[in-house]
C-alpha cells in the first residue's frame, strides 16, 4: 500500500475520535469570548471616551512594538490561506459534511478568525499605524498564498500546526507582557486571551500527532524528521509591503521580533525540544531502521541548533516599515 493510502487509512481510523477532541479543545460559540468584549462599545455614549483612552495609552508603546503587533495581526488575518490549505489535507473532506476532520478545520478556523478581528480593530482605533498599508500587506499575503513544505500530508501538517500554535502562543504572550509593563492593560488582556487560544490549539494538534505515533510510529517519525530538516517556515514567510517583491518584509519583521525578544531563534529550538519531550520521541518502539536514524537525528538536533542560534546577529537599528511611520510614534 502506498504511503498516501496508509495516511488516508490512519486519518479515517482516527476520525471516530475527532468529535470528542472538538469538545475537549474547542469552546462552544455561545461561551467563547468575542472581539467586542475587549473593544469600545460603539452603541455606548462613552464610545468616544473609550477610543480616546486607547489612543492616549497607545502613545506609550515604542516603534518596534507596533511593528511586531502589526506583523502578528497580519499573520492572523491571512487565515483564509491556512483554512484552504488544511481543507486540502489527505483525510479532510469539506464536501462530506459528516467528515469530522472537516468539522475540526471549520471550528478551529472560527476560533482563530477572532484573533485578527480584535487586533485589526484595535490597531485602527489606536491611530498609531498606517492602516491602508497594513491592509495592502494583508491582501498580498492572502493572494500570494504560502508553501510550508507539507504538501497534503496530514502527518507533516500536524507537526507544522503543533509547532506553529506554540510559536504564536509565545509571541502573543510576550506582547501581552510588554503592553502590561507599559500600563496598557486592555491590550495586554487582548493578547493574553489570544495566546490562551493558541495554547489550546497547540495541545490539540499535539494530541493528533500522539495518536498517529501509536498507530503508524515509523512514518510519523519520518514526517517529524522531514519537517525539522526542512525547517519550519513561518506562516508569514511571504510577507511583503506594497510595491515590494514577495517575502521581502518577513526578514525585517523577524529581526524586529528577535530584537525586542518577542520571538527568537532560541524560542524556535525550545519548541522543538518541547515537542520531542511531549511526544516522548526517545521512548517510541517498533521503528524501522530508517525511522531509528530519523529519531537519532531529532534527538541530537536541539543541542546543534542552540549552538547555531548563539551565532546569529540581529541588526540593532529598526527597519522603517510603511505600516508604522516613526513620525507617528512620539
Amino acid at each position: 500500500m502506498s504511503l498516501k493510502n496508509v495516511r488516508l487509512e490512519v486519518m479515517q481510523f482516527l476520525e471516530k475520535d475527532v468529535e470528542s477532541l472538538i469538545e475537549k479543545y474547542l469552546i462552544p460559540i455561545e461561551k467563547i469570548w468575542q472581539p467586542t468584549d475587549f473593544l469600545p462599545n460603539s452603541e455606548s455614549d462613552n464610545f468616544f471616551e473609550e477610543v480616546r483612552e486607547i489612543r492616549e495609552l497607545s502613545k506609550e508603546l515604542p516603534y518596534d512594538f507596533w511593528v511586531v503587533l502589526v506583523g502578528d495581526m497580519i499573520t492572523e488575518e491571512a487565515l483564509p490561506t491556512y483554512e484552504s490549505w488544511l481543507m486540502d489535507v489527505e483525510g479532510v473532506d469539506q464536501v462530506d459534511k459528516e467528515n469530522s476532520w472537516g468539522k475540526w478545520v471549520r471550528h478551529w478556523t472560527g476560533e482563530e478568525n477572532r484573533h485578527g478581528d480584535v487586533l485589526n480593530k484595535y490597531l485602527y482605533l489606536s491611530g498609531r499605524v498606517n492602516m491602508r498599508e497594513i491592509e495592502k500587506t494583508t491582501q498580498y499575503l492572502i493572494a500570494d498564498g504560502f508553501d510550508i513544505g507539507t504538501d497534503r500530508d496530514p502527518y507533516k501538517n500536524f507537526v507544522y500546526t503543533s509547532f506553529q500554535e506554540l510559536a504564536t502562543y509565545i509571541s502573543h504572550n510576550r506582547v501581552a507582557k510588554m503592553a502590561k509593563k507599559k500600563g496598557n492593560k486592555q491590550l495586554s488582556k487582548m493578547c493574553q486571551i489570544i495566546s490562551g487560544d493558541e495554547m489550546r490549539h497547540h495541545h490539540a494538534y499535539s494530541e493528533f500527532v500522539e495518536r498517529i505515533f501509536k498507530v503508524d510510529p515509523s512514518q510519523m517519525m519520518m514526517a517529524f524528521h522531514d519537517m525539522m530538516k526542512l525547517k519550519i517556515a513561518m506562516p508569514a514567510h511571504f510577507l511583503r509591503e506594497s510595491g515590494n517583491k514577495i517575502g521581502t518584509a518577513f526578514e525585517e519583521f523577524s529581526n524586529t521580533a528577535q530584537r525586542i525578544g518577542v520571538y527568537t531563534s532560541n524560542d524556535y529550538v525550545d519548541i522543538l525540544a518541547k515537542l520531542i519531550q511531549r511526544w516522548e520521541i526517545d521512548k517510541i518502539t517498533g521503528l524501522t531502521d530508517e525511522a531509528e536514524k530519523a529519531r537519532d537525528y531529532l534527538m541530537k538536533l536541539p543541542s546543534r541548533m542552540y549552538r547555531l542560534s548563539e551565532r546569529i546577529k540581529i541588526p540593532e537599528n529598526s527597519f522603517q516599515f510603511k505600516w508604522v511611520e516613526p513620525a507617528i510614534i512620539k
Side-chain angles (χ1 to χ4, degrees), residues 36 39-53 125:
T36 46
L39 295 163
N41 181 1
S42 59
E43 297 176 287
S44 167
D45 291 338
N46 296 325
F47 176 70
F48 292 108
E49 285 77 9
E50 290 174 19
V51 171
R52 199 170 293 115
E53 184 180 5
L125 294 173

Side-chain angles (χ1 to χ4, degrees), residues 183-195:
N184 197 322
K185 292 178 184 175
Q186 185 180 11
L187 179 57
S188 178
K189 281 182 186 175
M190 197 184 295
C191 295
Q192 192 72 51
I193 202 161
I194 291 172
S195 74

Side-chain angles (χ1 to χ4, degrees), residues 71-84:
D72 283 353
M73 185 277 282
I74 293 167
T75 304
E76 296 284 359
E77 288 279 68
L79 190 60
T81 307
Y82 318 144
E83 181 185 23
S84 62

Side-chain angles (χ1 to χ4, degrees), residues 14-29 31-32 87 92 97-111 200-201 203-205 207-208 211:
L14 295 177
E15 191 186 335
K16 67 185 187 306
D17 299 320
V18 173
E19 291 282 345
S20 65
L21 290 169
I22 288 173
E23 288 181 19
K24 181 177 179 181
Y25 289 112
L26 300 181
I27 299 172
I29 295 166
K31 293 183 179 178
I32 202 167
M87 275 298 189
V92 180
K97 294 298 179 189
E98 298 303 311
N99 179 268
S100 295
W101 286 115
K103 185 178 178 182
W104 166 269
V105 174
R106 290 192 300 275
H107 282 238
W108 169 83
T109 300
E111 286 203 358
R200 270 191 300 107
H201 298 162
H203 286 310
Y205 285 112
E207 184 165 338
F208 295 168
R211 286 168 180 256

